[in-house]
């Protein structure tokens, strides 16, 4: 009676390696895309929190803030509403909650403003959505890495 060898042949192992390689080359880019899209939620959260801070500031001042002073978490509101100067500064973080985006205020003229989140760090690989912006009316826009208008950044 002859004993059979148990195990895998080299060709069977090579087929498994090839199949796993093909799956990995498909799955990894899809995963990276998913992670980039998921980090956009960080920008949205930061912008919506800053928008809420702007509305609160406007309720206590005659104009929207045109500048941000970083929140130092000392429990004291360092917002400035000086109509004599005029200086209008809202206290808020200058970065998104997970620090993937820088937040800024532009185009503030008292009754209008545009808040912008600009990618940074690992998020700079998201070439489809470099910036996400929202204005006082809630109009949402975005740009790609070439500063062209981009779509889909707010939907996903």
């Amino acid at each position: 009676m002859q004993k059979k060898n148990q195990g895998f042949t080299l060709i069977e192992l090579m087929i498994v390696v090839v199949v796993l390689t093909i799956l990995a080359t498909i799955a990894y880019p899809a995963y990276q895309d998913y992670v980039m899209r998921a980090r956009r939620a960080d920008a949205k959260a930061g912008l919506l929190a800053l928008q809420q801070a702007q509305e609160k500031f406007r309720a206590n001042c005659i104009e929207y803030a045109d500048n941000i002073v970083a929140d130092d978490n000392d429990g004291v509101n360092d917002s400035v509403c000086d109509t004599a100067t005029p200086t209008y500064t809202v206290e808020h973080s200058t970065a998104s909650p997970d620090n993937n985006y820088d937040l800024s205020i532009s185009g503030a003229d008292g009754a209008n403003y545009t808040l912008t989140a600009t990618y940074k760090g690992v998020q700079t690989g998201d070439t489809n959505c470099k910036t996400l912006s929202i204005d006082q009316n809630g109009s949402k826009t975005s740009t790609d890495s070439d500063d062209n208008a981009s779509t889909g950044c707010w939907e996903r």
Side-chain angles (χ1 to χ4, degrees):
M1 189 178 226
Q2 194 176 22
K3 190 174 183 183
K4 280 187 156 186
N5 288 337
Q6 293 181 350
F8 298 104
T9 65
L10 182 59
I11 193 74
E12 290 171 330
L13 288 174
M14 292 304 292
I15 290 170
V16 169
V17 168
V18 168
V19 168
L20 289 176
T21 302
I22 291 170
L23 288 175
T25 57
I26 294 169
Y28 187 71
Y31 171 75
Q32 289 295 85
D33 184 55
Y34 171 77
V35 169
M36 292 292 177
R37 286 187 288 126
R39 286 190 194 124
R40 291 178 200 157
D42 181 40
K44 295 171 193 174
L47 286 173
L48 295 176
L50 182 55
Q51 185 180 37
Q52 185 178 22
Q54 275 282 58
E55 295 303 329
K56 183 177 178 182
F57 183 86
R58 174 81 187 266
N60 295 312
C61 191
I62 61 170
E63 295 188 13
Y64 287 116
D66 56 6
N67 195 18
I68 304 172
V69 62
D71 187 355
D72 54 8
N73 295 317
D74 63 355
V76 177
N77 185 350
D78 295 324
S79 296
V80 177
C81 178
D82 183 358
T83 56
T85 312
T87 302
Y88 305 105
T89 304
V90 65
E91 181 181 39
H92 191 276
S93 174
T94 56
S96 61
D98 292 334
N99 206 26
N100 292 311
Y101 290 83
D102 286 324
L103 303 177
S104 62
I105 301 172
S106 62
D109 64 2
N112 302 297
Y113 65 82
T114 300
L115 308 177
T116 303
T118 305
Y119 65 23
K120 66 179 182 176
V122 295
Q123 193 61 12
T124 56
D126 188 5
T127 57
N128 295 326
C129 299
K130 175 183 177 182
T131 66
L132 286 89
S133 299
I134 191 168
D135 67 14
Q136 73 285 345
N137 295 324
S139 297
K140 300 170 183 173
T141 58
S142 57
T143 62
D144 63 16
S145 59
D146 294 326
D147 292 327
N148 298 315
S150 181
T151 60
C153 297
W154 281 93
E155 287 77 37
R156 293 181 173 186

